[in-house]
């Protein structure tokens, strides 16, 4: 509880600052926080929001699932085989540092304007962090465990599934937790830039209609959803980290 006090105090200070600054500025573009919170409660009850959250969640879940399915094996290969690491490492670092928002429109001629492109955007934003952290987890595996497994006649699959993956799982989960934030950013950017659907459509509608109370309420909701997802993944990560320390 004591560790959470600074976080709570900073949130309270931020909320008070927002409220006072908005009331002092008296601008329609920057409504008071109290009004934004009230609007958020009414916004989540709208059918348009419910439809948008379903579309967004589907694209996000599909893109993240693909990022995990691709990122973990690729990161594992990079961590265990130096030739693979030398070939792929430069490309992974290029893409994780690249301004992917500028790359997103290039997907439209290939995948078209629709949910497929949004899924691809989530994948591109999320997969590189998973690859890097999985690689680091594989590199840091205790070699004595591997030697012991070999001496007992373990197959490569048994070594991977029972030693390598469990030992690297804390780093893998860290990569997944960090990729959640990038994935949320990717799905919103994809829906705004590529296909104006889901929450991206609502953002575009509220911003161009100068409905700033709903716009900021939607921003707040997306932030809360992101923090909730990160908290859930972080809980699993902490449990796996404790399990790894026991091992």
């Amino acid at each position: 509880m004591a560790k959470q006090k600074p976080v709570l105090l900073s949130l309270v200070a931020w909320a008070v600052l927002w409220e006072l600054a908005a009331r002092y500025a008296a601008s329609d573009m920057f409504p008071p926080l109290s009004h934004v919170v009230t609007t958020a409660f009414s916004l989540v009850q709208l059918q348009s929001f419910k439809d948008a959250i379903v579309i967004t969640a589907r694209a996000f879940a599909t893109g993240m699932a693909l990022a995990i399915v691709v990122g973990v094996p690729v990161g594992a290969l990079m961590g265990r085989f130096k030739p693979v690491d030398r070939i792929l490492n430069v490309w992974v670092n290029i893409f994780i540092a690249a301004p992917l928002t500028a790359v997103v429109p290039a997907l439209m001629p290939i995948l078209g304007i629709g949910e497929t492109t949004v899924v691809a955007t989530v994948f591109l934003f999320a997969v590189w962090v998973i690859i890097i952290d999985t690689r680091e987890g594989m590199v840091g595996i205790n070699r004595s465990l591997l030697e012991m497994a070999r001496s007992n006649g373990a197959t490569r699959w048994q070594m991977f599934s029972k030693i390598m993956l469990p030992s690297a799982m804390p780093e893998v989960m860290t990569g997944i937790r960090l990729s959640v934030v990038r994935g949320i950013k990717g799905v919103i950017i994809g829906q705004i830039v590529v296909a104006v659907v889901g929450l991206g459509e609502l953002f575009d509608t509220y911003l161009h209609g100068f409905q700033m109370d709903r716009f900021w309420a939607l921003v707040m909701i997306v932030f809360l959803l992101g923090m909730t997802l990160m908290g859930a993944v972080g809980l699993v990560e902490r449990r796996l980290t404790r399990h790894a320390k026991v091992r």
Side-chain angles (χ1 to χ4, degrees):
M1 185 65 181
K3 294 181 179 180
Q4 296 178 349
K5 284 184 178 180
V7 178
L8 294 174
L9 288 174
S10 65
L11 289 175
V12 171
W14 170 80
V16 172
L17 181 62
W18 181 342
E19 184 74 18
L20 295 176
R23 291 187 179 279
Y24 178 77
S27 172
D28 293 335
M29 299 294 293
F30 190 56
L33 179 61
S34 56
H35 187 51
V36 172
V37 172
T38 303
T39 304
F41 280 106
S42 61
L43 182 62
V44 296
Q45 300 177 39
L46 298 177
Q47 188 61 43
S48 58
F49 174 82
K50 295 176 182 178
D51 295 338
I53 201 70
V54 169
I55 295 172
T56 301
R58 184 172 60 220
F60 173 79
T62 305
M64 283 298 303
L66 290 173
I68 294 170
V69 169
V70 173
V72 173
V74 171
L77 288 173
M78 290 176 63
R80 301 312 303 170
F81 300 102
K82 289 185 178 180
V84 178
D85 187 49
R86 284 195 294 266
I87 294 171
L88 297 182
N89 194 28
V90 61
W91 293 104
V92 172
N93 283 284
I94 286 174
F95 275 100
I96 201 169
L100 294 178
T101 305
V103 179
V104 171
L107 297 174
M108 289 189 287
I110 303 172
L111 301 176
I113 300 175
E115 189 169 338
T116 303
T117 307
V118 178
V119 170
T121 304
V122 176
F123 174 84
L124 283 176
F125 270 78
V127 69
W128 313 111
V129 178
I130 297 175
I131 291 175
I132 286 179
D133 281 356
T134 302
R135 174 191 177 277
E136 292 302 315
M138 289 292 175
V139 169
I141 293 174
N142 191 334
R143 293 185 177 274
S144 63
L145 293 176
L146 300 178
E147 293 298 329
M148 181 181 63
R150 288 194 188 97
S151 65
N152 284 278
T155 64
R156 288 190 176 183
W157 171 249
Q158 287 174 329
M159 290 173 62
F160 176 77
S161 61
K162 296 184 181 299
I163 296 177
M164 295 182 185
L165 190 58
S167 297
M169 190 56 69
E171 287 80 8
V172 173
M173 292 305 301
T174 298
I176 293 174
R177 175 170 57 84
L178 296 176
S179 70
V180 165
V181 178
R182 292 175 63 90
I184 292 174
K185 185 191 301 182
V187 74
I188 298 300
I189 290 174
Q191 289 183 340
I192 293 176
V193 176
V194 178
V196 186
V197 293
L199 293 181
E201 181 181 12
L202 294 184
F203 272 118
D204 188 72
T205 300
Y206 297 154
L207 185 59
H208 286 85
F210 293 99
Q211 302 178 56
M212 300 311 296
D213 52 347
R214 288 190 172 185
F215 175 83
W216 288 111
L218 191 57
V219 170
M220 181 180 295
I221 291 170
V222 170
F223 268 99
L224 289 174
L225 289 174
M227 291 174 62
T228 302
L229 285 173
M230 281 193 64
V233 177
L235 180 62
V236 177
E237 178 188 356
R238 287 191 293 273
R239 290 183 176 179
L240 289 174
T241 300
R242 288 197 295 268
H243 174 68
K245 287 180 178 179
V246 171
R247 289 177 60 85

